Amino acid sequence: MYESYWRKMGNKCDITLSGYQSLSYFANVKNLCWFLEPKLEEEIKRLHNLVGNAIVDDHYIVVGTGSSQLIQASLYALSPPNEPEPISVVSAAPFYSAYAEVVNFVKSGLYKWAGDAHNFVKNGSYIELITSPNNPNGVIRKPVVNGDEGILIHDLAYYWPQYTAITSPANHDVMLFTVSKSTGHAGSRIGWALVRDKEVARKMTKFMEISTIGVSKEAQLRAAKILGMICDSCLDPTLDNFFEYNKSVMIERWQRLRQVVKANDHFFTLPKYPLQYCLFTRSFYETHPGNLFIYF
Amino acid sequence: MYESYWRKMGNKCDITLSGYQSLSYFANVKNLCWFLEPKLEEEIKRLHNLVGNAIVDDHYIVVGTGSSQLIQASLYALSPPNEPEPISVVSAAPFYSAYAEVVNFVKSGLYKWAGDAHNFVKNGSYIELITSPNNPNGVIRKPVVNGDEGILIHDLAYYWPQYTAITSPANHDVMLFTVSKSTGHAGSRIGWALVRDKEVARKMTKFMEISTIGVSKEAQLRAAKILGMICDSCLDPTLDNFFEYNKSVMIERWQRLRQVVKANDHFFTLPKYPLQYCLFTRSFYETHPGNLFIYF
């Protein structure tokens, strides 16, 4: 859906890389996340502060090769390292279709997929993945297991003003974001985690170091440019505001879809979402998910 | 060591990316490795055919976020999926310091690190990692376990003319390469595997899909540009030949190092490597490793 916006922007976010740039594994040796490009860190902070969708200033930023890698890094960092049994990982159904595969594919002895959080019988510690707005159905979510020893990972890929009202800045221990859902650059494979605890951030960084020795510098530098452009578009009235433009695209698509369904089919209905006041757009907005999940 | 070469090339391998390019997860849906950029595939084939260091035309190419990710993808693809015990992974000492950590970090139930291949008591199937020229000591290697059920992964990161004589095109089942060692672009995190068997290539692609949903398009496009430039430099006499230039840099560094050691210390010596005829440079050349490993 984002292509029309970026085509309209033309060459405003062109980025040129020379053969001699970014040769090193390192981006900033003084940073806990030593492969995070300083410019990307700066633009991530700027964007969250501008949109107001997450508290960023007292969190560490860990960059990942998309949020898939960050989910694994979070599990690695948050799982007890020396238990005889892997910790259970749950999420409330309907959940993102890839979660089970991402958690189980190498049969880790640290963590294992345990399915629908609604049916989970808690017994000691567990990890709950909370996707809000949810993929695939757009619902705003909170943890459902509610156990004392629950470790929570908040996947906030869709918590942006084009999809839903920004009702308050999220302020959780581990929050995951990705450019594929925020800017539309799925091919870049750039995600980031906001992590409150220093040791958790350090272990997540270690995961990236072992699994891929960091994250592509080219992709980080381009993401920085694009996030910067989005910030500029919110502040400069001569530019099309990225969120307003894409919010309109989402509204139009959902309107067309609702009309088609209404006119042609009486066997199913599309979900309804509550109107909520969005602090960023200063208007009431209902969620317009980037995915569609139909209940028959 | 490569920075001086790339600085000399100036803006000859500049690459410009616009905001609307490479938005999608997909690069080529008709390819088994659906996230591999066609231009990168083309330049990888061109370079191997030109250098003569690996048979590429009857192999599938799988791109990875550096060769670290490809090692894991190979282990995932080659491990028996439903065994009660993980398969043993070995390599002859001295081996690349990160192997043990890469194999064990999430305590996979599919594979486990079993240390020095010289001490491995073979009992059924196992995976042997063969690094040639070896990291850290530059020795040309073959498998050491020699069991009937050995599954071999050849890490050929240093099998390029600036490091060693190219004595014949490598033609193994799974061969790993990386731009960090071939071109010096460690920050790009681009590696590739040449894989003979289609099902193994498919499972490696699946690993990339689950772990990171592909590989950064920006990094792939830049790597394509840089590999293309290296090919051009071998064919166009007006350009500094990449391999000759960096071979000279390696020779000079090793000469300086040998002088320093000879003049100042009688307690250790540097390794000696045999002179071999290089089919690419058409001259005799001894290995000049990119790393130094000193035996006391």
Side-chain angles (χ1 to χ4, degrees), chain A residues 14-19 21 23-24 72 81 106-109 181 185-189 211-213 217-218 222, chain B residues 14-19 21 23-25 72 81 106-109 185-189 211-213 217-218 222:
Chain A
D14 279 10
I15 175 170
T16 299
L17 292 154
S18 300
Q21 279 183 274
L23 286 161
S24 171
Q72 295 158 69
V106 293
K107 298 188 177 180
S108 173
K181 305 304 182 292
H185 291 80
S188 301
R189 312 310 311 122
S211 66
T212 54
I213 323 187
K217 301 287 177 288
E218 292 88 346
R222 186 158 175 250
Chain B
D14 279 10
I15 176 170
T16 299
L17 292 154
S18 298
Q21 279 183 274
L23 285 162
S24 171
Y25 289 110
Q72 295 158 69
V106 292
K107 298 187 177 179
S108 172
H185 292 80
S188 301
R189 312 310 311 123
S211 66
T212 53
I213 322 187
K217 300 289 179 287
E218 293 89 345
R222 185 159 176 250

Side-chain angles (χ1 to χ4, degrees), chain B residues 160 183 206 279:
Chain B
W160 294 99
T183 78
K206 187 76 187 167
L279 297 170

Side-chain angles (χ1 to χ4, degrees), chain B residues 190-237:
Chain B
I190 291 291
W192 64 94
L194 306 181
V195 183
R196 198 189 313 270
D197 183 79
K198 191 172 187 175
E199 272 319 299
V200 173
R202 202 187 298 281
K203 281 191 78 176
M204 287 179 71
T205 300
K206 187 76 187 167
F207 180 94
M208 301 295 162
E209 185 182 320
I210 302 171
S211 66
T212 53
I213 322 187
V215 175
S216 161
K217 300 289 179 287
E218 293 89 345
Q220 288 191 63
L221 293 171
R222 185 159 176 250
K225 181 84 181 182
I226 284 162
L227 296 183
M229 173 80 221
I230 292 178
C231 292
D232 293 347
S233 83
C234 298
L235 299 167
D236 179 348

Side-chain angles (χ1 to χ4, degrees), chain B residues 67-288:
Chain B
S67 65
S68 314
Q69 195 184 23
L70 290 166
I71 291 168
Q72 295 158 69
S74 311
L75 297 176
Y76 172 79
L78 296 167
S79 298
N82 297 312
E83 292 294 312
E85 289 296 316
I87 192 169
S88 291
V89 180
V90 297
S91 189
F95 41 72
Y96 175 44
S97 58
Y99 278 159
E101 209 165 30
V102 165
V103 176
N104 277 349
F105 76 129
V106 292
K107 298 187 177 179
S108 172
L110 298 173
Y111 44 80
K112 65 160 194 275
W113 179 246
D116 187 356
H118 293 111
N119 302 330
F120 180 65
V121 181
K122 57 180 181 284
N123 186 7
S125 60
Y126 62 91
I127 295 174
E128 183 173 351
L129 287 161
I130 300 136
T131 319
S132 183
N134 189 40
N135 178 356
N137 67 353
V139 172
I140 303 298
R141 287 189 152 179
K142 297 198 161 168
V144 308
V145 182
N146 210 16
D148 294 342
E149 296 176 64
I151 301 167
L152 308 180
I153 299 171
H154 282 80
D155 183 343
L156 304 181
Y158 291 97
Y159 193 45
W160 294 99
Q162 68 271 43
Y163 299 115
T164 193
I166 303 303
T167 53
S168 67
N171 189 15
H172 308 292
D173 290 346
V174 179
M175 301 183 273
L176 309 183
F177 293 91
T178 164
V179 298
S180 72
K181 303 305 182 292
S182 55
T183 78
H185 292 80
S188 301
R189 312 310 311 123
I190 291 291
W192 64 94
L194 306 181
V195 183
R196 198 189 313 270
D197 183 79
K198 191 172 187 175
E199 272 319 299
V200 173
R202 202 187 298 281
K203 281 191 78 176
M204 287 179 71
T205 300
K206 187 76 187 167
F207 180 94
M208 301 295 162
E209 185 182 320
I210 302 171
S211 66
T212 53
I213 322 187
V215 175
S216 161
K217 300 289 179 287
E218 293 89 345
Q220 288 191 63
L221 293 171
R222 185 159 176 250
K225 181 84 181 182
I226 284 162
L227 296 183
M229 173 80 221
I230 292 178
C231 292
D232 293 347
S233 83
C234 298
L235 299 167
D236 179 348
T238 68
L239 295 171
D240 271 306
N241 181 304
F242 174 81
F243 296 112
E244 294 291 356
Y245 183 97
N246 288 300
K247 190 176 146 178
S248 303
V249 173
M250 289 306 287
I251 290 173
E252 197 201 316
R253 289 196 182 181
W254 273 88
Q255 277 174 344
R256 277 190 358 227
L257 184 68
R258 288 193 192 278
Q259 281 166 1
V260 169
V261 167
K262 202 172 168 189
N264 295 287
D265 201 302
H266 304 283
F267 292 103
F268 65 90
T269 53
L270 293 176
K272 292 274 183 201
Y273 301 96
L275 266 184
Q276 287 188 293
Y277 188 72
C278 176
L279 297 170
F280 175 72
T281 57
R282 296 184 191 172
S283 63
F284 283 89
Y285 190 45
E286 59 180 91
T287 303
H288 291 81

Side-chain angles (χ1 to χ4, degrees), chain A residues 55-111:
Chain A
I55 297 289
V56 62
D57 289 330
D58 66 348
H59 284 66
Y60 295 91
I61 299 177
V62 180
V63 64
T65 310
S67 66
S68 314
Q69 195 184 25
L70 290 166
I71 291 168
Q72 295 158 69
S74 311
L75 296 176
Y76 172 78
L78 295 167
S79 297
N82 298 312
E83 291 295 312
E85 288 296 315
I87 191 169
S88 291
V89 181
V90 297
S91 189
F95 40 72
Y96 174 43
S97 57
Y99 278 159
E101 210 165 29
V102 165
V103 176
N104 278 349
F105 75 131
V106 293
K107 298 188 177 180
S108 173
L110 297 175
Y111 44 80

